[in-house]
Structures are given as C-alpha cells and as structure tokens.
C-alpha cells in the first residue's frame, strides 16, 4: 500500500501566516528571511531578542544591494540570484527546533517557505508575514487549469473552458488551489 504525502503549501489561509511576528519562547535559535519591504516587520521582533538569530535580507535587484538601508553587522545581504543558489544550504545547516520568520512579498514568501519545507522545517516552526497582496487560485475540474481569483470571489467563469464555478472552501495541496465546483447558470 502506497501512502501519498502532500508537503505543506503556502496559500492565502495557511496557518503559518501572521499579521505580526510573535516570539516563540520554546525556541533558542531564530532565522529571518526578509526583503527590504519586510525588513521593518522583522526588526520590530529582533529588538526584543536576547537569543541567537540570523537575518538575511534578499534584494530583488542588484541596485538595492548597494542602496542605503540597513547596514548593521548582523545583517547578511543576498541578491535574489545568490539567495536561490544558497538558500538550501542555509536552511539545511539550521539546528532542529529553529524558528523561521519570513517577511516578503507573496512570490518570495512562497519560494522561501517551499525551500524551508524541503529542508525539513515543520509548518509550526515557520511564521510568514506577507507584504502586499496574497494570491489565491481555483482549480477547474473541467479543463484542469489553475486560475488566479480575488479573495472575495465566490464564483467565477473559468477563462479556459468558460464553465461557471463555485469556489469551495477546500484547498487542494495536490492541485495547489481551491477546488471549483461546476454549475449551470
């Protein structure tokens, strides 16, 4: 008998999404991954720390690497390209029980979250603050496409096959979107 394991996915209602980071007293090591836009959120929590932590600032472009901003000793700056090459190694060298904080836009947060899960982090060990809008997708069972939708959408017409769909509250980790139920209008 084969068991199907679906690793956690970051979606617009994930349990690890937070509006403000909180300090987990049970942890002794902390790692922050943030973009410039999420840096203030991370620093607000860092100021309360007296424990070991690492802070990685991921820059979307090479120009922001040299831009003014945070020039503190504890900050490690990475370009987006360096991040993609080094993040697996950074994640894998962390000790068991490390708390991970992510403050970034949706795409970067999904990338960091996925790399953390692949490295062995548990969903409970990750807190994600999304700067800007979260993305939401619905899976059409008629044409097997994934379509971006607005957070408030309850029904919509599939742009691929033109079928009317009701957006269910059920998120599929396999399909990476909310299930859409076809109906005739």
């Amino acid at each position: 008998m084969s068991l199907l394991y679906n690793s956690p996915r970051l979606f617009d209602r994930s349990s690890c999404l937070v509006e403000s980071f909180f300090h987990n007293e049970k942890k002794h090591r902390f790692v922050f991954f943030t973009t410039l836009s999420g840096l203030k959120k991370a620093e607000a929590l860092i100021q309360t720390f007296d424990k070991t932590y690492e802070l990685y600032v991921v820059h979307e472009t090479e120009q922001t690497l040299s831009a003014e901003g945070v020039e503190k000793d504890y900050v490690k700056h990475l370009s987006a390209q360096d991040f993609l090459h080094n993040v697996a190694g950074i994640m894998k060298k962390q000790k068991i029980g490390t708390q991970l904080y992510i403050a970034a836009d949706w795409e970067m947060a999904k990338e960091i979250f996925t790399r953390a899960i692949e490295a062995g982090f548990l969903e409970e060990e990750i807190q994600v603050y999304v700067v800007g809008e979260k993305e939401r997708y619905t899976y059409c069972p008629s044409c097997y496409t994934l379509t971006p939708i607005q957070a408030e959408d309850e029904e919509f017409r599939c742009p691929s096959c033109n079928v009317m769909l009701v957006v269910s509250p059920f998120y599929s980790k396999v399909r990476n979107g909310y299930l859409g139920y076809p109906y005739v209008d």
Side-chain angles (χ1 to χ4, degrees):
M1 182 173 148
S2 169
L3 295 177
L4 177 65
Y5 172 71
N6 297 316
S7 63
R9 306 246 187 221
L10 188 63
F11 65 102
D12 69 321
R13 293 185 185 154
S14 292
S15 62
C16 60
L17 290 175
V18 296
E19 289 301 318
S20 294
F21 291 132
F22 59 89
H23 184 62
N24 188 340
E25 296 291 334
K26 297 177 183 176
K27 306 292 182 179
H28 298 287
R29 289 190 43 79
F30 306 89
V31 177
F32 291 83
F33 278 99
T34 181
T35 55
L36 284 176
S37 57
L39 190 58
K40 287 185 181 181
K41 202 62 146 172
E43 284 193 319
L45 181 61
I46 287 173
Q47 292 173 356
T48 67
F49 279 9
D50 60 349
K51 296 181 180 180
T52 305
Y53 64 89
E54 297 174 40
L55 173 60
Y56 296 91
V57 179
V58 180
H59 296 263
E60 291 86 1
T61 64
E62 292 295 326
Q63 289 80 19
T64 60
L65 264 172
S66 59
E68 62 183 68
V70 178
E71 295 300 327
K72 298 177 180 155
D73 295 335
Y74 60 83
V75 178
K76 296 171 185 141
H77 295 273
L78 297 169
S79 69
Q81 184 177 6
D82 287 342
F83 163 75
L84 293 174
H85 290 300
N86 298 321
V87 70
I90 294 168
M91 296 286 188
K92 287 181 180 178
K93 77 174 187 176
Q94 300 305 319
K95 295 181 173 146
I96 293 174
T98 297
Q99 181 71 46
L100 178 64
Y101 298 95
I102 302 168
D105 63 55
W106 183 251
E107 285 304 314
M108 185 61 75
K110 278 191 341 186
E111 181 69 31
I112 298 169
F113 179 87
T114 301
R115 299 290 180 106
I117 295 298
E118 290 170 354
F121 276 85
L122 300 174
E123 200 168 3
E124 296 81 28
E125 296 174 322
I126 305 171
Q127 292 180 36
V128 180
Y129 173 78
V130 176
V131 178
E133 295 295 317
K134 300 174 189 92
E135 291 179 6
R136 188 171 192 217
Y137 295 92
T138 296
Y139 175 75
C140 177
S142 296
C143 65
Y144 314 114
T145 59
L146 204 57
T147 304
I149 60 170
Q150 299 298 315
E152 63 277 354
D153 286 349
E154 293 179 12
E155 59 183 46
F156 74 102
R157 186 169 299 280
C158 177
S160 181
C161 67
N162 215 26
V163 168
M164 281 302 293
L165 298 170
V166 173
V167 180
S168 79
F170 305 109
Y171 184 83
S172 169
K173 292 179 183 178
V174 174
R175 304 293 180 212
N176 209 12
Y178 290 91
L179 300 176
Y181 294 121
Y183 74 95
V184 178
D185 59 333

